[in-house]
Each structure stands twice: as C-alpha cells, then as structure tokens.
C-alpha cells in the first residue's frame, strides 16, 4: 500500500482506504512500516524535537525523535512500561542544512533501522536497532490529523508514514513525463528498461543498466520543480526533483567560472522564471537511469545527470536496502565524480539571466 499519511506545507492527509471506513480497526498494530521526517537543522545549534507523541489508551505508549546539536538523532519509544532507545551519530556537515530521517521496523522479522540522509549530498548514515515496539494505526492518524496532540519543532518540513520499508540511498529525480533521447528518438524515462540504450553527447550510445523508480510525497526535498524553456537551451519544460543537476557548458560558463562545464541543481534555479515549484501534487513518482560511467542523459536538448552510485556496489548491505536491490550485482558499475563545479543559487540564477539577456 505504501504511503498512508503525510503532514507538511500546512496540510495533512491520511489514506481513505485505511482511515476512511467507519469500521476501520484503528486499534490494530502497525507491525511493519516507515516514518520519514525531513527537517532543517537548527541555525543556533539547539536540540530539536522532530516528533513527540504520547497516548494513554488502550495502553500507555509514546514515540520521540530528537535531533541533537552536531547532527545526532535520538529515538525513544515506550510501550506498557517497556522502553526502546537508540542513538544514531551523524556528524553535522556545515555545507548542508537539511536532514531526512527514516525509521523503519518489521515486527515479524524483529528488525529495526534508523537512517539519516542529507538530500543535498550523497551522505547516508544508518544503524540497525533492537526490535522496536509496533505503533497503533490510530497513532498514525492522530499524529497526522491532530497536531494539538503532538509536538514538532517549527523546523520540521514534513512527516510521512509508509506501510513499506522505505529505501535509502541514491534517489531518482526525473518525473514520469520526462523524455530521454535514445537512438530511436525521445522516449519517456518511465518506459526504459535494462537493455535499452540512450544517446549521450560525449560517449555516444550507451546501455541502460537499470531504471530505479520511487513514489514519494511531493514535499520538502521531494517537491517537484518545473525547469522552464527556453532557459539553458531547454526545448520544453521538464519536471524534476530538486536534486536533479543540469550539466551546462559554453563560452559564457568558461568565461564566468573558468571551466568547460558546471553543474546546476534544479533547486538553485527556483526564482519564478528559470524554474518554479510545482503545486497541486500530493505524491510524485520519480525515475532515473543507471548508466555505465554516470553519463549525462539528454532531455529536451539539455544534459541531465544520470544516477550516481559511487562505490555502492562494494557495500552489499546498503545495496539491499536501496532502490538497486533488484539490479543484478554484476551490472552495478563504480562511478567516479566528474569533478565539475556545482553552482550555488546566486551563481545559477546569474547565469540564467545572462543567457536570456
């Protein structure tokens, strides 16, 4: 079933199939699932309460997730007097200011896991936990729809709950409707599979090793962005995730930055003309292609980064918990970063304005 509750951007939602029925068993235990929280780091280094909730019926229980100065995450759960406690140390990186925390549990397998990701980088830290107590289905409804009964820091961007063990690691960034150039012309990225080929400007025709897809809440670092034509040579608008990077070259790039090409994250272009946030979406499905050498794909005549996995193939346990779990291990490449400069928001918008002038 996947996502059953979200709260963020001033709105909350719960799945009608789970909570909309008059006889819905809300006192049932949620034996498997994931809680995903995204937060901005405190600018003054104070502790943050990402989520705190307590109940008294049908038995005492609570859940508390706190972020510590320096980036550590503390998770405490109680159930009928039993206390579950775990700490994940995740050193603060001054270059990033957003954390995504994913807590997953499977009661039958007696497994738990907490992970911290920084959407603006490739960093992922995770830790197995002792078997956590399951939440009640009613807990999820209360946390999402009754904000007066929960505690959340103002810096929390969104909260979401899934019935699945949500993946961590490399994430897709191209919306369903994005079309990628192949030897047979443009094709929707969602239609491409292992064995298909795509055209690239530097390496010609290359094979698709795997396509990853994920449905996520359209909130925070998942909120889709519309890249607008004709900026940066786009022949039509593209819908992408905030972390999708464009590969931009040209004489003006060489003049301004002293490099043949630079990388521009989509989120750095949001200014009302070159790019803007998409609205009206509760969820969005993203896709991305795994290519042999991390070659950029061509979409709407612009070059976009493909999926970057670095040396992930050497970490079998991480692969198993990522979207690449179903990719044959023999197809997983090792990627080296191109070493291109990543432009900040001011630099990216300055370049966009200069190209239109």
């Amino acid at each position: 079933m996947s996502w059953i509750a979200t709260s963020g951007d001033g709105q909350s939602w719960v799945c009608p199939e789970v909570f909309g029925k008059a006889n819905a068993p809300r006192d049932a235990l949620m034996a498997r699932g994931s809680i995903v929280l995204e937060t901005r780091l405190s600018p003054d280094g104070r502790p943050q309460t990402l989520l705190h909730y307590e109940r008294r019926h049908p038995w005492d229980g609570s859940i508390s997730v706190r972020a510590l100065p320096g980036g550590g995450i503390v998770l405490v759960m109680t159930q009928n007097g039993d206390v579950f406690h775990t700490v994940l140390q995740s050193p603060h990186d001054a270059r990033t200011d957003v954390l995504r925390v994913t807590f997953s549990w499977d009661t039958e397998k007696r497994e738990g896991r907490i992970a911290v990701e920084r959407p603006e980088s490739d960093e992922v830290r995770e830790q197995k936990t002792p078997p956590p107590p399951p939440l009640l289905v009613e807990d999820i409804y209360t946390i999402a729809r009754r904000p007066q009964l929960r505690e959340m820091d103002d810096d929390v961007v969104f909260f979401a709950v899934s019935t699945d063990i949500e993946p961590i690691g490399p994430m897709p960034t191209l919306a369903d409707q994005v079309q990628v150039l192949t030897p047979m012309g443009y094709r929707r990225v969602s239609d491409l599979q292992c064995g298909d080929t795509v055209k690239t400007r530097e390496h010609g025709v290359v094979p698709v090793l795997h396509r990853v897809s994920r449905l996520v809440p359209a909130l925070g670092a998942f909120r889709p962005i519309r890249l607008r034509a004709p900026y940066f040579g786009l022949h039509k608008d593209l819908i992408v995730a905030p972390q999708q990077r464009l590969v931009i070259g040209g004489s003006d790039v060489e003049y301004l930055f002293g490099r043949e090409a630079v990388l521009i994250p989509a989120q750095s272009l949001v200014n009302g003309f070159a790019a803007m946030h998409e609205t009206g979406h509760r969820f969005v499905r993203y896709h991305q292609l795994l290519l042999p050498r991390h070659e950029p794909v061509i979409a709407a005549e612009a070059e976009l980064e493909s999926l970057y996995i670095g040396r992930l193939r050497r970490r079998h346990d991480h692969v198993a918990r990522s979207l690449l779990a179903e990719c044959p291990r023999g197809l997983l490449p090792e990627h080296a970063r191109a070493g291109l400069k990543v432009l900040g928001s001011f630099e990216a918008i300055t370049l966009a304005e200069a190209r239109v002038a």
Side-chain angles (χ1 to χ4, degrees), residues 198-207 209 247 288-298 303-307 335:
V198 296
K199 293 186 71 173
T200 67
R201 290 197 174 133
E202 185 174 349
H203 298 100
V205 176
V206 300
L209 303 179
V247 183
Q288 191 51 278
L289 303 178
L290 180 66
L291 304 181
R293 288 178 286 184
H294 184 221
E295 298 91 338
V297 296
I298 300 172
E303 285 190 289
L304 306 179
E305 261 199 316
S306 58
L307 189 71
H335 288 158

Side-chain angles (χ1 to χ4, degrees), residues 25-48:
R26 295 185 184 178
D27 59 346
L29 293 176
M30 188 172 172
R32 185 176 187 269
S34 299
I35 292 176
V36 179
L37 290 153
E38 188 175 296
T39 184
R40 291 178 291 271
L41 292 173
S42 171
D44 53 9
R46 58 178 171 79
Q48 296 166 286

